[in-house]
């Protein structure tokens, strides 16, 4: 293995645990913000106490605020642009993004474009960030759904309202300055979204593991996180107010997608995410559930192609599932997916009525155009997607 250079930047200050938001009070007061934008989704934050806590906090630190709600899952360029105009009009200098990955992802693009009024095309920015002149205004993330790790990374995955394309953009200056994580805010997340968030994290960990030249320390870090996730997943899904399960899942999901999780690794393998984004772009399905559907097929076909990949799956099966051999690992994976009520075929997604040849072409083109796994060819994407289309 060649010598690899890694620079690690963990910008967020974490406040974790029941009542975490009030622990952040002094930190937030010291920032001397003038006016905040509270950004949220379809309203779940108003049913689980998190929104009320935030208002209480803002009043305590005398910070004026305006609200923008309605960020949808798989956030769309049109909605994000409306929020940017609202933020500019109200001259806000900080965004409190309260919700799941969709809200926090959106806040980073909104923060960046609010600070750069010469940029007005959200999609263009997603494809090319080079015209950004000023750093984003500050983002404070208050996570209410464990999964994406958006609270401590620079990523935003945005969907084009017109073309159904979905793409991830990175805005380093918009990594949240504070990540506020109160596990009790996640008590109200339903089974489907809880399991989807868990599988999203599973995918982040395995896709960073399934590259080449995995650094010893990092492999152990990934395995430790996977073991924790597996230990608490089912309880978090079936017993939603179990604090121990919810808190372990929440912290694992956060730690799964920082620069530590691929520290000193030669390569990673983001093919499952690349393929899933084409599905959630095309049909607006839930991201983590889509990953669960894609993963077993990708692992099987990729292992037929590359023996070292198969060896890693076997090592993973032994270490994480406690089973021996490739077939046993895939079987365990599929059963685990079913045990947390996630889909193993596409007809389990109410949004997908059929997958036509035209759809397959769209998915293949999308995967190749927005490829986070450049070592995967278009032909191989077609092979995997064609196989997935058969699993009804
Ligand atoms: O909109 P509201 O009413 O808030 O309801 C949401 C939404 O319907 C609901 N929810 C969130 N917290 C809740 C709750 N319901 C009850 N109680 C709570 N406490 O859950 C639904 C889904 O929310 P969403 O934010 O869309 O889910 P998630 O956190 O899984 O985010 C998915 C998005 O993140 C992107 C995905 O592609 C997708 O667009 N990703 C972002 C990443 C990043 N920034 O690094 C990496 C990921 O791999 C991922 O691609
Ligand atoms: Zn993901």
């Amino acid at each position: 293995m060649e010598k690899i250079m890694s620079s690690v930047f963990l910008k967020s200050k974490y406040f974790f645990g029941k009542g975490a938001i009030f622990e952040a009070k002094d930190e937030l007061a010291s920032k001397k913000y003038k006016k905040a934008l509270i950004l949220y989704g379809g309203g779940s934050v108003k049913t689980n106490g998190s929104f009320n806590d935030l208002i209480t906090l803002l009043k305590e630190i005398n910070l004026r605020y305006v609200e923008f709600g309605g960020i949808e899952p798989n956030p769309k360029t049109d909605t994000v642009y409306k929020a940017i105009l609202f933020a500019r009009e109200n001259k806000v200098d900080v965004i409190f993004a309260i919700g799941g990955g969709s809200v926090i992802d959106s806040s980073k693009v909104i923060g960046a474009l609010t600070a750069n009024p010469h940029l007005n095309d959200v999609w263009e920015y997603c494809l090319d960030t080079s015209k950004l002149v000023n750093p984003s205004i500050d983002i404070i993330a208050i996570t209410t759904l464990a999964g994406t790790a958006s609270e401590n990374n620079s990523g935003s995955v945005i969907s084009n309202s017109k073309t159904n394309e979905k793409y991830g953009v990175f805005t380093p200056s918009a990594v949240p300055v504070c990540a506020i994580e109160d596990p009790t805010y996640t008590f109200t997340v339903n089974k489907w979204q809880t399991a989807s968030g868990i599988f999203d994290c599973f995918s982040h960990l395995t896709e960073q593991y399934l590259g080449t030249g995995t650094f010893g320390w990092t492999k152990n870090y990934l395995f430790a996180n996977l073991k924790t996730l597996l230990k608490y997943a089912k309880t978090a899904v079936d017993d939603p107010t179990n604090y121990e399960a919810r808190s372990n899942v929440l912290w694992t999901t956060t730690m799964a997608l920082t620069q530590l999780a691929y520290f000193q690794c030669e390569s990673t393998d983001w093919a499952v995410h690349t393929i899933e984004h084409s599905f959630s772009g095309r049909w607006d399905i839930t991201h983590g559930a889509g990953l669960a559907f894609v993963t077993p097929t990708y692992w099987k076909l990729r292992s037929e192609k590359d023996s070292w990949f198969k060896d890693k799956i076997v090592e993973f099966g032994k270490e994480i599932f406690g089973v021996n051999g490739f077939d046993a690992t895939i079987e365990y994976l599929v059963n685990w997916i079913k045990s947390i009520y996630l889909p193993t075929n596409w007809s389990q997604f109410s949004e997908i009525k059929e997958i036509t040849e035209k759809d397959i072409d769209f998915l293949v083109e999308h995967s190749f155009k927005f490829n986070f796994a450049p070592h995967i060819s278009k032909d191989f994407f077609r092979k995997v997607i064609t196989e997935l289309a058969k699993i009804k």
Side-chain angles (χ1 to χ4, degrees), residues 74 194 197 202 204 238 347:
N74 299 322
T194 299
F202 177 86
H204 295 157
D238 285 339
S347 56

Side-chain angles (χ1 to χ4, degrees), residues 39 71-75 99-107 148 150 157-158:
L39 188 75
I71 299 292
E72 62 275 84
N74 299 322
S102 294
V103 171
I104 303 172
D105 279 13
S106 301
S107 74
T148 63
S150 189
V157 186
I158 305 294

